[in-house]
Amino acid sequence: SHWDVPVVFPDGTEIRVWASHPTPPVFDGPEDLNGKRSNDEVRFWAEYLSGAPWIYDDEGQYGGANVSGAALSDTKALIMGDLNNDPVQGDSHLDPIGHWLFNHPLLQAYTPKSKTSGECSPRAEVTHPGGCMRLDYMLPT
């Protein structure tokens, strides 16, 4: 699923929340259909931000994120969600995060930092041997 949710604050400021939860790129066979589907679901955001004419909303308006006519460069927005793709390790197909989102001119490739950001939970080490994977993102415009 992909959502474009306008959040309007009491002062009238609007932030667009672009949220999604793509298919994990695992749990399939050698044909890698989940990996390819996951790549395309992340790629959707790059297409959406570029105003791809094939994208339409629930009201039938075509053009991706620019259907309102506002300049996207002036839009305050945030892509967020469990995007199920680590840009460095894991089973991602063709690094969709790095290729489609980290290099998009409207997005900031933001990597959160914290005192414990380099630590893995014991469960993460079991499920992802060799280190924790970054699967959740908040990428502001």
Side-chain angles (χ1 to χ4, degrees):
S1 297
H2 295 78
W3 302 280
D4 180 340
V5 181
V7 177
V8 181
F9 293 89
D11 68 357
T13 302
E14 179 178 296
I15 295 178
R16 304 276 290 277
V17 174
W18 297 319
S20 65
H21 186 261
T23 303
V26 293
F27 312 119
D28 59 1
E31 71 285 347
D32 195 27
L33 292 179
N34 286 346
K36 293 172 184 172
R37 179 178 295 114
S38 181
N39 181 314
D40 286 345
E41 289 178 300
V42 172
R43 181 183 60 125
F44 170 84
W45 287 123
E47 297 277 339
Y48 190 75
L49 294 176
S50 299
W54 60 268
I55 297 173
Y56 59 92
D57 65 16
D58 293 340
E59 296 175 6
Q61 295 182 353
Y62 285 83
N66 65 359
V67 295
S68 66
L72 278 178
S73 59
D74 296 330
T75 301
K76 294 177 183 170
L78 179 69
I79 288 181
M80 61 186 282
D82 177 352
L83 300 184
N84 276 317
N85 285 275
D86 185 286
V88 178
Q89 61 180 340
D91 293 322
S92 299
H93 182 77
L94 303 175
D95 181 21
I97 300 297
H99 184 75
W100 298 112
L101 298 182
F102 282 176
N103 290 316
H104 197 282
L106 291 177
L107 295 174
Q108 298 177 43
Y110 176 73
T111 302
K113 302 271 189 251
S114 72
K115 292 179 182 177
T116 59
S117 65
E119 299 174 11
C120 290
S121 71
R123 184 173 182 276
E125 279 294 332
V126 171
T127 58
H128 306 295
C132 295
M133 295 201 308
R134 180 179 180 194
L135 304 177
D136 302 320
Y137 294 84
M138 293 183 78
L139 301 173
T141 58

